[in-house]
Amino acid sequence: MTLDDCRALDAQDKLAALRAQFTLPAGVIYLDGNSLGVLPKAAPARIAEVVAKEWGEGLIRSWNTAGWFDLPQRLGDKVARLIGAAPGEVVCTDSTSINLYKVLFSALSQQLPTNRRVVVSERSNFPTDLYIAESMCRERGFTLKLIEASELPAVLTEEVAVLMLTHVNYRTGAMHDMKAITAAAHAAGVITVWDLAHSAGAVPVALNDCNADYAIGCGYKYLNGGPGAPAFAWVHARHADKFVQPLSGWWGHAAPFEFTPNYRPASGIARYLCGTQPIVALAGLECGLDTMLAAEAHGGMAALRTKSLALTDLFIQLVEERCAGHGLSLVTPREHADRGSQVCLSRGEGAYAIVQALIARGVIGDYRAGDEQMPDILRFGFTPLYLGFEDVWNSVEHLRQVLETAEWQRAEFNAKNAVT
Amino acid sequence: MTLDDCRALDAQDKLAALRAQFTLPAGVIYLDGNSLGVLPKAAPARIAEVVAKEWGEGLIRSWNTAGWFDLPQRLGDKVARLIGAAPGEVVCTDSTSINLYKVLFSALSQQLPTNRRVVVSERSNFPTDLYIAESMCRERGFTLKLIEASELPAVLTEEVAVLMLTHVNYRTGAMHDMKAITAAAHAAGVITVWDLAHSAGAVPVALNDCNADYAIGCGYKYLNGGPGAPAFAWVHARHADKFVQPLSGWWGHAAPFEFTPNYRPASGIARYLCGTQPIVALAGLECGLDTMLAAEAHGGMAALRTKSLALTDLFIQLVEERCAGHGLSLVTPREHADRGSQVCLSRGEGAYAIVQALIARGVIGDYRAGDEQMPDILRFGFTPLYLGFEDVWNSVEHLRQVLETAEWQRAEFNAKNAVT
């Protein structure tokens, strides 16, 4: 595999034209779209329009004339197309953590009539997901049990109420088999809550086909919605009208404009709304969603997935060929079925410094610290909407040079001795 | 009082120059800043910079280089100057309803060791505040008791855990005496939760001087932060480290970047943060806060209050002089100490149609429906940052013409017979 081979792959790539939808800084190879997505070209003008026209001129009238009230549902319908959900099943609102609180509360409420009082999650799940679950379990008389993925499905005993998993692991890039795990959970009487933060827009997701129960996800990673963009929540239709969530604000009321003193939840997913949403941020999110939906004309998520796997395969192959002997280990699963859209490497030492040296060269990935049980991680996200095969070649070439020239050790030395 | 008198008042008004900070649509007299504030002139350029430079070019690096992580606290310090709080005591984050959930949870936790199991609020409080309290009370074994303001402080018995009030009533414009009520509550062993949605930026608030316990408020009304701008939360220093709130996301963790699996709350107000915040929306909020803080050079909230009372006094006087005989009644208290920065009128019939006819003329107030116990309301907000005395004259003149020409009846007829 050579640079010319990579360029040839780019020339044949029917998705390559999608990159033109984005503004990317010169000199940057951006491998951190799993942390913060890039700027859609349409976003500055659309956001400026919302600010100057809808807010500045329309003022309060824009709640109706500009359709502000419908934004969580209208954008939710766009997200639905990316995660195998139906129109009317998704809302875009609040943060991922807050949406997790809502759906986990509802899932636990379903199990209150049973004796099941354990919530199972992975020890390596997003810390913020574990923090939310920890507080709620303590408050509602449940126990949070943290496991390794290898303990599934054996751990799903008759004590387990909810299995709360992130579909693609943020540290390792490992992906769960949502359909098989959901089936195993249901067979054991367990309700599933899926975090799609590293899945929506990254890998095909088929919530209804998997018969999942609850899902939440992030707007600012693969969906390119902008920093801190609102998140989303999905609830299977069979549960949606049966339980309430406790953040019972007026946007989730059956008749918000009657201003009645008693709460009456809206039917369906609308009851997962709470307070007034940041309209300008929702406008940015819509621009990001539209860049994803533009791929539908080119094969959609299936085509993006094929390219994503080709990019991550290539990255793994080139690292193993060209960076051999430098102590890097592959953390992400090699099997396609087990891999998300990122590649994570570990190294006995220097992971942080290597990432910093790469960033100094314009190759932006990130670092996640390990602990006694998990190694330090160099994390590289591959977003097929705007990355090509030459980008992969160049990023590995930078990594090779950083390792071979010991540039990372100098970077580490400088960091340690910096006057801060 | 004549139009010329009003113009003379504007000419003497030292705060009049503050209006130049805003972009106001031509032909509009905006009396709805208590629902959605207007656009600061600085906001479009600042928001464009955040979008194009900080997001588009800085990408993930902007979390550090652009100070995104500190925004909730940095903006919180600006809000603190408007509500009598100290630096480090306020965060700007999430929605008002969600922040109410957090502080109410914490307040109830304080009372768990006691036998107090009643939350008292006003029947005419914001419905969304009542909805949040209703769910939480049910979940945690408390009872929500709705009262009339006249029942205070007698209703504060030994069963009462928390008194949850909105400082300035959204329907009537009536303002509570925060200091006296807080003192009465404390004397009765009751903790106070104040909603400042119609107070912050509208009237002087002195949380620490009043010895209040918890407060939350809105960013998009008098603070001009933009539609759905993040809200704020304040907790008195004596409580801040003693209790936790249940939306325990990573932004409220003591060490969010250690990514440890167990939740350890940050000290102080930072523990009232939850998930990642909408950065573009926070940038808009900062522009709004800066327009308020610009008044500090001209006497600050005290000077704004003096002007606000002069505006609302004038509106009341002119309505009573020039719209007499048309069945309007004043709902807002006449006493300065009891009045916020709005004037509400009621009428036996036609309130909705009159508001619609005014809006068609460019005089934007709003309508709030009544019920068996409360009349329909015509609501007019007076924001001294960008309204003057001539605006008051002109708005009353429009109201007079709408009433005298029966224009509102034609508007009502058209609305009823419209093909929708």
Side-chain angles (χ1 to χ4, degrees), chain B residues 117-247:
Chain B
R117 289 296 180 273
V118 172
V119 174
V120 168
S121 192
E122 271 185 278
R123 186 181 177 280
S124 65
N125 197 350
F126 283 119
T128 194
D129 288 19
L130 300 181
Y131 303 157
I132 292 286
E134 178 186 328
S135 293
M136 190 177 292
C137 285
R138 188 177 52 236
E139 189 60 31
R140 303 191 79 194
F142 286 74
T143 302
L144 177 61
K145 180 174 183 174
L146 301 185
I147 61 155
E148 304 300 319
S150 57
E151 299 177 66
L152 286 172
V155 74
L156 300 175
T157 63
E158 63 188 12
E159 296 179 327
V160 177
V162 167
L163 175 62
M164 178 185 91
L165 291 177
T166 294
H167 183 221
V168 175
N169 188 283
Y170 84 105
R171 278 184 58 88
T172 64
M175 182 166 70
H176 286 294
D177 182 338
M178 185 185 288
K179 194 162 191 172
I181 290 179
T182 300
H186 288 175
V190 175
I191 295 167
T192 55
V193 173
W194 291 98
D195 185 336
L196 306 179
H198 281 225
S199 308
V203 299
V205 179
L207 287 170
N208 278 319
D209 182 59
C210 291
N211 201 23
D213 300 287
Y214 297 90
I216 49 103
C218 179
Y220 57 80
K221 296 175 189 276
Y222 288 97
L223 298 182
N224 302 305
F232 64 86
W234 169 86
V235 176
H236 193 284
R238 68 179 172 276
H239 305 312
D241 286 333
K242 291 194 184 153
F243 302 92
V244 295
Q245 55 90 8
L247 297 169

Side-chain angles (χ1 to χ4, degrees), chain A residues 3 27 94 218-219 280 300 331 348 352:
Chain A
L3 175 56
D94 296 328
C218 179
V280 177
V331 173
Y352 175 78

Side-chain angles (χ1 to χ4, degrees), chain B residues 67-83:
Chain B
W68 287 350
F69 274 115
D70 304 326
L71 276 171
Q73 284 97 331
R74 192 161 62 73
L75 271 56
D77 285 351
K78 293 191 175 191
V79 170
R81 288 152 63 180
L82 301 169
I83 58 175

Side-chain angles (χ1 to χ4, degrees), chain A residues 79-247:
Chain A
V79 171
R81 288 153 65 180
L82 301 169
I83 58 174
E89 290 184 350
V90 178
V91 281
C92 291
T93 186
D94 296 328
S95 68
T96 315
S97 296
I98 286 174
N99 288 334
L100 177 62
Y101 187 88
K102 299 172 191 167
V103 302
L104 182 58
F105 187 98
S106 179
L108 295 185
S109 295
Q110 289 198 46
Q111 297 282 23
L112 283 181
T114 74
N115 291 321
R116 296 170 180 271
R117 289 295 180 273
V118 173
V119 174
V120 168
S121 192
E122 272 186 276
R123 185 180 176 283
S124 64
N125 198 350
F126 283 117
T128 194
D129 288 18
L130 301 182
Y131 303 157
I132 292 287
E134 179 186 329
S135 294
M136 190 177 293
C137 284
R138 187 177 53 236
E139 189 60 31
R140 303 190 79 194
F142 287 74
T143 302
L144 177 61
K145 180 173 184 175
L146 301 186
I147 61 155
E148 303 300 319
S150 58
E151 298 177 67
L152 286 171
V155 74
L156 300 175
T157 63
E158 64 188 11
E159 295 179 328
V160 178
V162 167
L163 174 62
M164 178 185 90
L165 291 176
T166 294
H167 182 222
V168 175
N169 188 283
Y170 86 104
R171 278 184 58 87
T172 64
M175 182 166 69
H176 286 295
D177 182 337
M178 184 185 288
K179 193 163 190 172
I181 290 178
T182 300
H186 288 176
V190 175
I191 295 167
T192 56
V193 173
W194 292 97
D195 185 336
L196 305 179
H198 281 224
S199 309
V203 299
V205 179
L207 287 170
N208 278 319
D209 182 58
C210 292
N211 201 24
D213 300 286
Y214 297 89
I216 49 101
C218 179
Y220 57 79
K221 297 176 188 276
Y222 288 97
L223 298 183
N224 303 304
F232 64 86
W234 169 85
V235 176
H236 193 284
R238 69 178 171 275
H239 305 311
D241 284 334
K242 292 194 185 153
F243 302 92
V244 295
Q245 55 91 9
L247 297 168

Side-chain angles (χ1 to χ4, degrees), chain B residues 307-317 336 339-343 380 382 392:
Chain B
K307 180 174 171 185
S308 159
L309 287 170
L311 292 171
T312 51
D313 276 345
L314 177 64
F315 184 80
I316 293 168
Q317 177 190 344
H336 284 181
R339 189 196 307 164
S341 196
Q342 70 185 55
V343 178
F380 304 100
F382 292 89
V392 175

